[in-house]
């Protein structure tokens, strides 16, 4: 009996495998026929089935799957079926999470719909996955021009201004301010000043996803990613101890421009003083 049961289970597994191969083969054929008929939605559904049943085929069908996805996404976009479009890209990125072409295409759709911050994230990921991907680099630079205010570049190249900030931070740290919060960190320059000045704990918050990711790259390039905690948050949303362990002894910010009041920096500084900054005894 034991041998008979083992043989039964072996035959059953064999039948299942044969059934799987047959279904995959038929679905591939159906997908090809649908592409010939320009029925991209049905072709996309067939490829999803194939890739879920036979993940070993991911490499061989990758280009055809991408073509089908992009054509179907164009149709969905023209029909204003935005949620369905995003669902398709989410499914595709679950199957190919490190595919720079799909990331870039997702970013292009987001950008056209006005979601520039989110688009920048996908373009940035595509460039990180493949630094030589020209389309993604061009897209990232284009969206960065929308998101990074021109005064950032002016301030970063203002040596006198930067030196003044550096000296002020150094003086504060030397006088005993060992924990620092940088509000609206931008590229992270003030946080790095604080760390180089000798601050024991440095925290930085940035609301813009694009600037937050840029700050992460800049801080990592300066080998300070383990020493500066970057938060993709508005300063008003920072909670103790959820985001930072305790009140800080120094708050710095460089968000002083024509958008001072519109950016809510006054409210941010009041919040920092009342809730995040150590009070003098």
């Amino acid at each position: 009996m034991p041998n008979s049961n083992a043989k039964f289970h072996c035959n059953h597994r064999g039948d299942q495998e044969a059934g799987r191969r047959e279904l995959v083969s038929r679905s591939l054929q159906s997908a090809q026929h649908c592409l010939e008929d320009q029925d991209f939605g049905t072709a996309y559904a067939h490829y999803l089935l194939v890739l879920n049943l036979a993940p070993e085929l991911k490499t061989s069908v990758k280009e055809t799957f991408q073509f089908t996805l992009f054509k179907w996404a164009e149709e969905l976009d023209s029909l204003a079926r935005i949620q369905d479009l995003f669902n398709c890209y989410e499914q595709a990125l679950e199957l190919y999470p490190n595919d720079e072409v799909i990331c870039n295409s997702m970013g292009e759709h987001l950008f056209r719909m006005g979601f520039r911050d989110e688009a920048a994230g996908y373009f940035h990921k595509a460039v990180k996955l493949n630094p030589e991907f020209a389309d993604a680099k061009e897209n990232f630079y284009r969206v960065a021009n929308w998101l990074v205010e021109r005064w950032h570049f002016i301030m970063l190249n203002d040596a006198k201004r930067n030196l003044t900030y550096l000296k002020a931070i150094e003086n504060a740290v030397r006088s005993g301010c060992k924990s620092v919060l940088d509000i609206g960190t931008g590229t992270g320059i003030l946080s790095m000043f604080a760390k180089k000045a000798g601050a024991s704990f440095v925290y930085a918050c940035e609301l813009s996803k694009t600037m937050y990711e840029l700050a992460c790259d800049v801080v990592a390039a300066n080998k300070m990613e383990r020493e500066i905690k970057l938060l993709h948050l508005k300063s008003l949303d920072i909670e103790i101890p959820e985001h930072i362990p305790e009140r800080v002894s120094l708050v710095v910010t460089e968000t002083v421009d024509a958008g001072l009041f519109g950016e809510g920096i006054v409210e941010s500084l009041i919040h920092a003083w009342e809730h995040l900054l150590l009070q003098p005894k």
Side-chain angles (χ1 to χ4, degrees):
M1 286 297 291
N3 291 334
S4 297
N5 288 335
K7 185 176 181 180
F8 171 77
H9 288 301
C10 184
N11 290 337
H12 182 62
R13 285 195 297 270
D15 290 342
Q16 283 185 323
E17 178 60 22
R20 183 187 73 92
R21 287 198 300 267
E22 178 66 19
L23 182 55
V24 167
S25 177
R26 288 185 178 181
S27 292
L28 283 172
Q29 291 175 9
S30 297
Q32 190 59 44
H33 291 319
C34 289
L35 287 178
E36 292 170 0
D37 295 335
Q38 296 190 347
D39 182 0
F40 300 114
T42 307
Y44 176 76
H46 280 297
Y47 277 119
L48 280 184
L49 177 62
V50 167
L51 290 168
N52 278 287
L53 287 175
E56 67 273 12
L57 297 179
K58 281 184 179 181
T59 302
S60 61
V61 304
K62 179 179 177 179
E63 290 187 9
T64 311
F65 174 76
Q66 288 175 341
F67 171 81
T68 306
L69 168 66
F70 300 155
K71 286 294 185 180
W72 179 225
E74 287 177 8
E75 285 192 23
L76 292 173
D77 193 7
S78 67
L79 296 169
R81 292 172 55 183
I82 306 306
Q83 190 57 56
D84 289 335
L85 186 153
F86 287 150
N87 288 342
C88 286
Y89 273 97
E90 287 175 4
Q91 291 166 339
L93 287 170
E94 284 180 7
L95 292 166
Y96 296 96
N98 296 317
D99 189 288
E100 69 274 17
V101 178
I102 295 177
C103 286
N104 183 65
S105 181
M106 175 66 156
E108 289 175 338
H109 281 287
L110 287 165
F111 184 77
R112 283 196 294 270
M113 293 173 193
F115 300 108
R116 291 173 182 148
D117 217 5
E118 293 81 358
Y122 280 98
F123 293 145
H124 184 251
K125 181 178 179 180
V127 172
K128 292 193 79 171
L129 289 168
N130 182 3
E132 303 304 318
F133 189 7
D135 287 350
K137 286 198 291 186
E138 182 180 345
N139 284 332
F140 181 68
Y141 295 145
R142 179 160 55 104
V143 76
N145 284 330
W146 287 88
L147 295 172
V148 180
E149 299 288 349
R150 292 296 177 186
W151 51 264
H152 272 290
F153 302 106
I154 296 171
M155 289 195 306
L156 287 172
N157 287 284
D158 189 338
K160 184 177 179 180
R161 175 191 178 97
N162 293 337
L163 184 60
T164 301
Y165 268 105
L166 175 61
K167 288 182 177 179
I169 291 172
E170 285 178 340
N171 289 338
V173 172
R174 287 169 185 164
S175 68
C177 297
K178 295 301 183 182
S179 57
V180 180
L181 172 64
D182 180 5
I183 295 177
T185 191
T187 59
I189 187 170
L190 298 188
S191 296
M192 291 187 290
F193 283 172
K195 194 62 196 176
K196 287 182 178 180
S200 302
F201 306 99
V202 180
Y203 312 98
C205 64
E206 175 57 54
L207 181 59
S208 165
K209 185 178 180 183
T210 302
M211 293 307 299
Y212 164 76
E213 291 180 347
L214 179 60
C216 289
D217 285 346
V218 171
V219 168
N222 285 273
K223 297 180 171 40
M224 293 186 181
E225 66 269 28
R226 295 184 179 180
E227 301 172 307
I228 298 174
K229 183 176 181 180
L230 289 159
L231 303 166
H232 181 208
L233 284 174
K234 190 175 182 180
S235 62
L236 296 172
D237 295 330
I238 296 176
E239 298 291 342
I240 299 171
E242 183 180 353
H243 301 115
I244 61 177
E246 57 188 2
R247 290 181 179 227
V248 297
S249 51
L250 176 66
V251 171
V252 298
T253 185
E254 207 174 7
T255 46
V256 181
D257 74 306
L260 178 91
F261 295 100
E263 293 294 330
I265 189 60
V266 174
E267 291 85 351
S268 296
L269 291 175
I270 291 173
H271 174 75
W273 172 258
E274 292 178 344
H275 302 285
L276 305 175
L277 191 66
L278 285 171
Q279 301 298 311
K281 294 180 180 179

